[in-house]
Amino acid sequence: MQFAKVKLSSLAIAAGLMVVAGAASAQAVTSGGATLPQQLYTDIFTNGPIQGVWSYNGTGSGTGKTAFLTNNASLFGKTGTVHIVGSDSALTSAEVTTYNSAYNTGASSTVANYGRLVQIPAVATPVLLGYKETGVTALNLTTEQVCRVYAYDANFRTWDKVATVADDGANGSTNPIQVVFRTDTSGTTELLSRFLNAACGPYLPAGKSFTISNNFKTVVASAQSLTAADDANGDGLPDAWVGATGSSGVSSALATDHRLGYVSPDPVYTGSSNSNVARINTFLPTAASIQSAISAITPPATALARANPLNWVPAYAVPTGAYPIYGTTNLVLGQCYAGGIGAGTSAAAVKDFVTKLNNGAYDSKIASHNFVKLPANWNTAIQQAFLTSGSTLEIGATSVCAGIGR
C-alpha cells in the first residue's frame, strides 16, 4: 500500500491526530490513558507510518483503564468505541474478573460480548528521580536515602541530609526536600511503588511499609507517621510536598529549586543526565540496565499462561548492579473488534501498531523518547501469542472472533 500524508487542520494537529492517504475508509481508533508514553505514542500517530486515524488522550493510567474496561469513550472526550489504551498500572485480577463477567461471556449471551481481554507490555521504562537543588549537579542517592525521603523520616527531610560535596557535587542546603508527586491515579506512581514496596523494608520502622498502588497517598500512608505539625493542612501528606497532575505537570514543577520528584522520561529528564536526574546506588537509568533487569524475567510460555492477561506484565524484582526503578508501560486492548480485521478496520490498525512496536519499526522513536525496547525474549513471546497466524490469541483471529468484538 502506498501512503501519503494528508494535510491536517491546526485543530487536528493540536489533538494529535494522524491521517494516512490510501486509508480513506479506515475507521477511527480511539485511545488514551497513561501520560508516561504519551509523547511517544503521539509522535507515532502523528508522524507514522501507521494505518488508520488515531487520537490519544493522556488522562493517566487509572482513567485509561476505566475507559477501556467499560468502553466509555466519554472519558477521552470522544464517542463510540475505545479501541486500545496505554497503562503503566497493571490490570488487577478483580478488573479482569469483572470485565470477563460483563463483556466476555460467550457469543450466545445477551450481555455484550467483546471477546478476550489482552494486556501486553509496549516498551520498558525507568522512572526517573528528577531534582533541582542549587549547586548539586551529580546527585547520587542510595536506596536507603530514597526510602527514607519518601517515608518522611525525620533525619532525611532536608537537602543537607542527602547531598555532600564528595558524592553529589555540593553540599545540600538546609531547605526542605519538596517531593513532587502525582495527584492523579498514575501508572508512574505504581512503578515507583513497586520499587519502594520491594526495597525499603530494612529502612522502615517495624510495622511500616510502602503499598503498591497507582494512588500516591495510598503508597506512602502506610510508611509514614505524620504529626499535626507535619500535615497542618490535613491532606494526609507532608505540607512541604508538592502535587502535580500528569507527567508534564511533574516535569514543570521540578523546575523550582529544592525539589525532587518521580517522572517519566521526557526531553528534559533523560536517563543520561545526572545534572537533573539522580543516580541511585551510582547507577543512571540507562537502556542497558533496564533491558538487563527485564530480560531476567521469563515471559509466559505455555498456552494456558499466555491466555491470562495478568501474566504479561513483568513482575518487579530488585536488580543487582543496575538502576532499580523500572517497569513497563503496557497496552490494554481486545482480541476481537466488530467488523473483523480486514484492511481499513480499527482492528487492523490496532494490530499494525502492536506489530510495529514489536518488530523494530519504531525502535528509533522508542529510543528518541528515552524509552527502552523490550528484550528479545518478551518480543518473541508477544509475536508468537498475539501476532502469529494460527494462534488462538492472535488479534482478530477469525476462528475466535467471528461475530463478536467491541
Side-chain angles (χ1 to χ4, degrees):
M1 178 182 291
Q2 296 296 315
F3 292 93
K5 291 182 180 177
V6 175
K7 185 175 181 181
L8 301 177
S9 69
S10 58
L11 178 61
I13 292 173
L17 303 179
M18 188 209 74
V19 180
V20 180
S25 61
Q27 298 299 305
V29 178
T30 297
S31 63
T35 60
L36 183 149
Q38 183 175 3
Q39 294 185 44
L40 168 64
Y41 294 163
T42 299
D43 185 8
I44 290 172
F45 300 155
T46 304
N47 300 308
I50 191 172
Q51 179 185 10
V53 183
W54 290 70
S55 65
Y56 188 92
N57 189 337
T59 59
S61 294
T63 299
K65 285 199 300 181
T66 299
F68 184 86
L69 294 172
T70 60
N71 200 20
N72 184 359
S74 68
L75 294 175
F76 296 150
K78 303 287 183 179
T79 59
T81 298
V82 178
H83 298 93
I84 182 171
V85 298
S87 179
D88 322 314
S89 174
L91 291 170
T92 66
S93 58
E95 286 172 333
V96 172
T97 298
T98 299
Y99 179 91
N100 285 335
S101 297
Y103 300 117
N104 184 25
T105 54
S108 62
S109 173
T110 57
V111 180
N113 189 358
Y114 290 161
R116 191 187 303 273
L117 180 64
V118 175
Q119 175 178 236
I120 54 175
V123 294
T125 179
V127 174
L128 313 176
L129 296 186
Y131 73 92
K132 184 173 183 181
E133 171 65 2
T134 297
V136 176
T137 56
L139 184 62
N140 177 37
L141 299 173
T142 64
T143 295
E144 178 179 6
Q145 288 174 326
V146 176
C147 294
R148 292 189 186 277
V149 166
Y150 278 99
Y152 204 57
D153 186 301
N155 295 314
F156 289 81
R157 295 180 183 177
T158 55
W159 278 97
D160 58 315
K161 303 300 184 182
V162 299
T164 64
V165 171
D167 200 34
D168 307 284
N171 289 327
S173 69
T174 57
N175 287 287
I177 299 171
Q178 299 175 22
V179 170
V180 181
F181 62 91
R182 290 280 291 269
T183 56
D184 51 328
T185 53
S186 157
T188 311
T189 298
E190 184 171 313
L191 295 181
L192 172 70
S193 77
R194 292 182 181 279
F195 161 73
L196 295 174
N197 175 266
C200 292
Y203 311 114
L204 300 179
K208 293 293 184 180
S209 64
F210 289 100
T211 300
I212 296 174
S213 176
N214 60 15
N215 180 293
F216 182 79
K217 186 175 177 180
T218 300
V219 172
V220 299
S222 52
Q224 297 180 345
S225 298
L226 301 181
T227 66
D230 298 330
D231 180 24
N233 65 9
D235 67 354
L237 294 165
D239 291 339
W241 291 10
V242 179
T245 302
S247 295
S248 60
V250 174
S251 182
S252 296
L254 286 171
T256 299
D257 208 12
H258 312 311
R259 290 186 175 176
L260 172 76
Y262 60 98
V263 66
S264 59
D266 74 7
V268 175
Y269 298 97
T270 73
S272 60
S273 177
N274 194 201
S275 63
N276 62 359
V277 170
R279 290 173 290 148
I280 299 180
N281 304 321
T282 75
F283 296 103
L284 277 171
T286 62
S289 68
I290 303 304
Q291 259 200 337
S292 175
I294 293 179
S295 65
I297 304 167
T298 302
T302 67
L304 182 62
R306 288 176 172 179
N308 184 348
L310 299 178
N311 292 335
W312 282 100
V313 175
Y316 179 81
V318 180
T320 301
Y323 184 83
I325 313 179
Y326 69 91
T328 57
T329 184
N330 311 301
L331 296 171
V332 180
L333 60 148
Q335 181 182 12
C336 303
Y337 292 85
I341 199 162
T345 63
S346 300
V350 167
K351 186 175 182 180
D352 184 55
F353 173 52
V354 175
T355 299
K356 286 183 169 69
L357 274 177
N358 192 67
N359 69 9
Y362 294 145
D363 282 5
S364 62
K365 291 189 180 295
I366 291 170
S368 69
H369 287 276
N370 302 300
F371 290 106
V372 181
K373 182 179 174 65
L374 294 174
N377 57 338
W378 281 87
N379 277 315
T380 297
I382 292 168
Q383 170 66 35
Q384 291 173 345
F386 301 107
L387 303 172
T388 298
S389 178
S391 168
T392 58
L393 298 176
E394 181 192 12
I395 298 170
T398 55
S399 62
V400 177
C401 295
I404 65 172
R406 60 174 45 234

